């Protein structure tokens, strides 16, 4: 397995996984040197794996489980390692088969989540996007990243995913910077339709929509990167180069605390609708 790009989430996950392997080895009574000898490794390899500086291959993990007398743990350990590998995925890898596959890849977490918390400073988020807005975004991504043209199929997947806004007991808390209402995605007509749709969905019982005014005092917390929180189990952040999945509990807590602070700066109800209406009027 190749070493992934650097990120605090991936690094800490690897360190945590290394500590788990160290505990398994110590419980077996083996020293790092003894395990390396049994597995046929260079004597420094075990230490590098357990410190998180060298990600283990699946064969390495099987060797840990076998020589430490816990072969029944191998599959569980491999699943954990595979999950860490999926935490940081470059867009070129995620979208190598097209935008439709990339959209489909997130369906399982969307379907099982009950409480969604979303913050965005530059775009209207996926669950409340219109078809035209989605098409404009995905067309831009296709052209910028030089992907195969499956935009229409990807648009349909994203639209179909929106059924969770209207069905079941899903709850959406959405915080937008006012700037997200002003950036013109897809032209005036597309943006007017999107903002009108936002007014409509803001009245749904499943949706709580807050907008942070441009005039708000941001001394305590300024705009940050956009993120999604899926229950208290996962946070996703879309970077310029990659899609980041955060599963470390304390990092999820940081995003949850940040969401709470941002939510306190937002206006809701009539105040939010007024800002959306002003953005529509500004389209001319």
């Amino acid at each position: 397995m190749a070493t992934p790009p650097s990120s605090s989430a991936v690094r800490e996950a690897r360190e945590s996984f290394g500590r788990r392997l160290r505990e398994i080895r110590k419980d077996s009574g083996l020293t790092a040197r003894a395990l390396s000898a049994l597995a046929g490794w260079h004597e420094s390899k075990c230490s590098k794996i357990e410190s998180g500086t060298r990600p283990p291959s699946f064969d390495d993990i099987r060797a840990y489980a076998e020589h430490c007398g816990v072969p029944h743990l191998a599959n569980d350990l491999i699943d954990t390692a595979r999950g860490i590998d999926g935490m940081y995925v470059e867009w070129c890898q995620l979208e190598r088969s097209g935008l439709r596959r990339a959209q489909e890849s997130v369906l399982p977490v969307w379907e099982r989540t009950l409480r969604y918390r979303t913050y965005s400073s530059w775009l209207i988020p996926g669950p409340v996007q219109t078809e035209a807005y989605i098409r404009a975004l995905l067309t831009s991504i296709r052209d910028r990243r030089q992907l195969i043209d499956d935009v229409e199929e990807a648009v349909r997947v994203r639209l179909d995913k929106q059924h969770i806004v209207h069905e079941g007991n899903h709850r959406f808390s959405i915080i937008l910077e006012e700037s997200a209402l002003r950036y013109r995605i897809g032209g005036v007509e597309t943006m007017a339709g999107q903002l009108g749709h936002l007014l409509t969905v803001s009245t749904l019982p499943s949706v709580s929509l807050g907008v942070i005014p441009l005039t708000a005092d941001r001394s305590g917390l300024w705009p940050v990167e956009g993120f999604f929180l899926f229950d208290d189990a996962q946070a996703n952040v879309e970077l310029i180069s990659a899609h980041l999945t955060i599963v470390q509990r304390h990092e999820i807590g940081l995003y949850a605390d940040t969401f709470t602070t941002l939510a306190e700066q937002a206006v809701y109800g009539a105040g939010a609708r007024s800002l959306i209406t002003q953005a529509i009027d500004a389209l001319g």
Side-chain angles (χ1 to χ4, degrees), residues 254-269:
L254 288 174
Y255 277 95
D257 291 344
T258 298
F259 186 88
T260 298
T261 301
L262 291 165
E264 291 170 350
Q265 299 174 337
V267 296
Y268 301 83

Side-chain angles (χ1 to χ4, degrees), residues 236-252:
N236 281 359
V237 183
E238 295 187 353
L239 308 175
I240 291 175
S241 60
H243 182 271
L244 181 63
T245 299
I246 294 169
V247 296
Q248 295 292 312
R249 183 168 299 181
H250 76 279
E251 286 200 273
I252 292 172

